Amino acid sequence: MLSRPLAPGAPRMARSSVTRAAFLLALLVASLASACAEPPAPAPVRASEAAPSAALPVPAPLAGFERLLTGAWRQTAASGTSMLHTWRWGPGQRSLRAATTGESASGAPWRALTYLYVHPREGDVRTFGLSCYAGGVSEGRFEIAGDEAAGRFELFQQGQHRRMELRWLFTGRDHYRETLLEETSPGRVEELTSWDHLREAAPSPQIASAEDLVAQPSARWSAIRAWIGKSWGVESRDGSLEGSRAEAKLRWIPQIDALELQVARVAPDGTAERLWEVVLYHHPGLEALRCFALFASGEVATGEVRVLEENEVELELEEETSARTIARRVRILGEQGGELHLSLSGAGEEPPPPYTLREQ
């Protein structure tokens, strides 16, 4: 998989930038409250998020990667264990997301999450990934040309910072070979291992493993424990939803111990359009909670998550747009009675009024 750490042995919103960011960030923080042991069912998804469409053409840098979307890809180790990688479109069809489940070569449960996305200003393909092994976090660049793809990424694991390379070779519609390499010294790159990936029919909905059923979020999320198990809604103050409603749902990912948020704009007929995809996670190199988020309109936001006190959280974000980088600060405060109060500032702009988010 694109940014996998190593195991031992092995349609846009028509509104201003400030209004859009404030609205979506309100949903982001509100959705922290919906983390629960039994994740809510995802909102229905438009057909354009399952396959390319004329309305949402594939961005040129991602052309060629869309071949990953049909079915699922099984990677089998020499020991006989296997992992399954399932790809889908991200918000606005400007990124691809892969969820990996299965077992490592040693038979240990394995879970990973990978994104391929287009940087809104540089225009190249970037990668972001999380793995259950050693708290792995990876970031890098990737490109495809014909039947070959290659990239480099930095991998942070507990106590380690590694520089990796990845190469793919598609030898048919339903097969590609992946080779993983590491820079062991300046200018010296050594091959570590390779795997064959075979396409198969899309898997049935996954049944939670025994480990998942007994697992709980780690202590790093304890300060917002009072929010867990609740759901929140946001009413549009400027009428920008145009008869639609917004839904924000977040799940805790066992083994990785990250929070994954999906924010959707739901039309009266029940169809949904993903607006944001957000991951809150722990970075082992920075020893800090971090945020990675993708907009349907193409922007990317990253930054730090700080828990100030019980039921009080602050996000320091950098939003990458096609023209510049915008600094955003978001603060959320939980109050008695099931309300959350959110304020947004940054970029020297007139801040919008605070948002109130009510428990549903």
Side-chain angles (χ1 to χ4, degrees):
M1 189 169 155
L2 185 60
S3 52
R4 180 179 50 256
L6 297 176
R12 305 185 186 179
M13 303 291 284
R15 64 186 74 166
S16 69
S17 176
V18 176
T19 303
R20 182 185 66 248
F23 176 71
L24 294 178
L25 287 170
L27 290 175
L28 160 61
V29 186
S31 300
L32 284 171
S34 63
C36 56
E38 293 293 334
V45 178
R46 298 176 304 155
S48 61
E49 291 180 326
S53 71
L56 292 173
V58 178
L62 290 176
F65 286 115
E66 73 271 19
R67 73 183 76 182
L68 299 166
L69 291 166
T70 304
W73 297 84
R74 185 170 298 277
Q75 166 199 329
T76 303
S79 62
T81 63
S82 66
M83 302 178 189
L84 202 62
H85 313 299
T86 306
W87 293 83
R88 66 159 171 79
W89 287 115
Q93 203 168 293
R94 295 171 179 268
S95 60
L96 289 169
R97 170 194 180 275
T100 299
T101 58
E103 296 178 325
S104 67
S106 64
W110 190 274
R111 184 170 269 135
L113 189 66
T114 301
Y115 285 93
L116 293 173
Y117 65 96
V118 179
H119 190 279
R121 188 163 56 257
E122 301 297 333
D124 57 350
V125 177
R126 305 288 176 94
T127 70
F128 171 78
L130 300 175
S131 167
C132 65
Y133 179 70
V137 176
S138 60
E139 295 179 272
R141 289 174 167 83
F142 208 61
E143 62 181 342
I144 190 169
D147 290 329
E148 296 186 41
R152 295 185 177 187
F153 60 93
E154 293 190 71
L155 170 61
F156 294 89
Q157 296 172 323
Q158 294 168 3
Q160 295 191 82
H161 177 196
R162 309 169 70 176
R163 291 175 172 84
M164 317 298 292
E165 292 190 13
L166 196 64
R167 300 171 187 170
W168 290 358
L169 176 61
F170 288 87
T171 58
R173 180 183 180 276
D174 300 322
H175 172 265
Y176 70 92
R177 186 163 184 82
E178 177 181 71
T179 302
L180 184 66
L181 309 94
E182 181 172 9
E183 182 182 304
T184 55
S185 61
R188 181 179 177 85
V189 177
E190 298 183 8
E191 181 176 330
L192 299 179
T193 188
S194 60
W195 304 274
D196 288 308
H197 294 249
L198 296 174
R199 192 198 309 268
E200 57 184 51
S204 302
Q206 184 185 7
I207 300 175
S209 67
E211 292 84 359
D212 290 353
L213 292 175
V214 299
Q216 295 292 330
S218 68
R220 62 175 59 106
W221 307 115
S222 61
I224 57 174
R225 186 72 65 178
W227 299 353
I228 293 176
K230 299 176 182 177
S231 61
W232 307 86
V234 180
E235 294 181 0
S236 172
R237 298 183 178 186
D238 58 5
S240 56
L241 286 179
E242 300 173 355
S244 302
R245 70 181 188 278
E247 289 185 354
K249 297 181 179 180
L250 178 144
R251 68 186 184 102
W252 174 68
I253 307 176
Q255 301 177 49
I256 297 176
D257 192 36
L259 300 179
E260 184 186 41
L261 167 71
Q262 293 181 24
V263 178
R265 172 178 171 171
V266 184
D269 64 0
T271 58
E273 171 194 357
R274 287 192 184 95
L275 301 178
W276 265 59
E277 197 132 326
V278 181
V279 180
L280 305 179
Y281 64 99
H282 179 262
H283 194 295
L286 300 175
E287 287 296 332
L289 296 179
R290 301 282 295 175
C291 171
F292 170 80
L294 298 172
F295 285 94
S297 52
E299 287 104 346
V300 180
T302 59
E304 187 173 352
V305 180
R306 292 196 293 268
V307 179
L308 304 180
E309 296 181 10
E310 289 291 318
N311 297 321
E312 187 173 1
V313 174
E314 185 175 78
L315 307 182
E316 286 281 355
L317 302 177
E318 289 188 344
E319 180 185 344
E320 298 286 352
T321 73
S322 59
R324 58 181 178 137
T325 301
I326 303 174
R328 303 287 188 194
R329 176 178 294 173
V330 185
R331 178 168 293 189
I332 184 75
L333 176 64
E335 298 283 5
Q336 292 182 350
E339 287 189 352
L340 299 179
H341 298 282
L342 180 141
S343 60
L344 174 73
S345 60
E349 299 161 333
E350 183 69 23
Y355 283 79
T356 298
L357 300 97
R358 293 182 174 84
E359 181 182 347
Q360 293 181 342

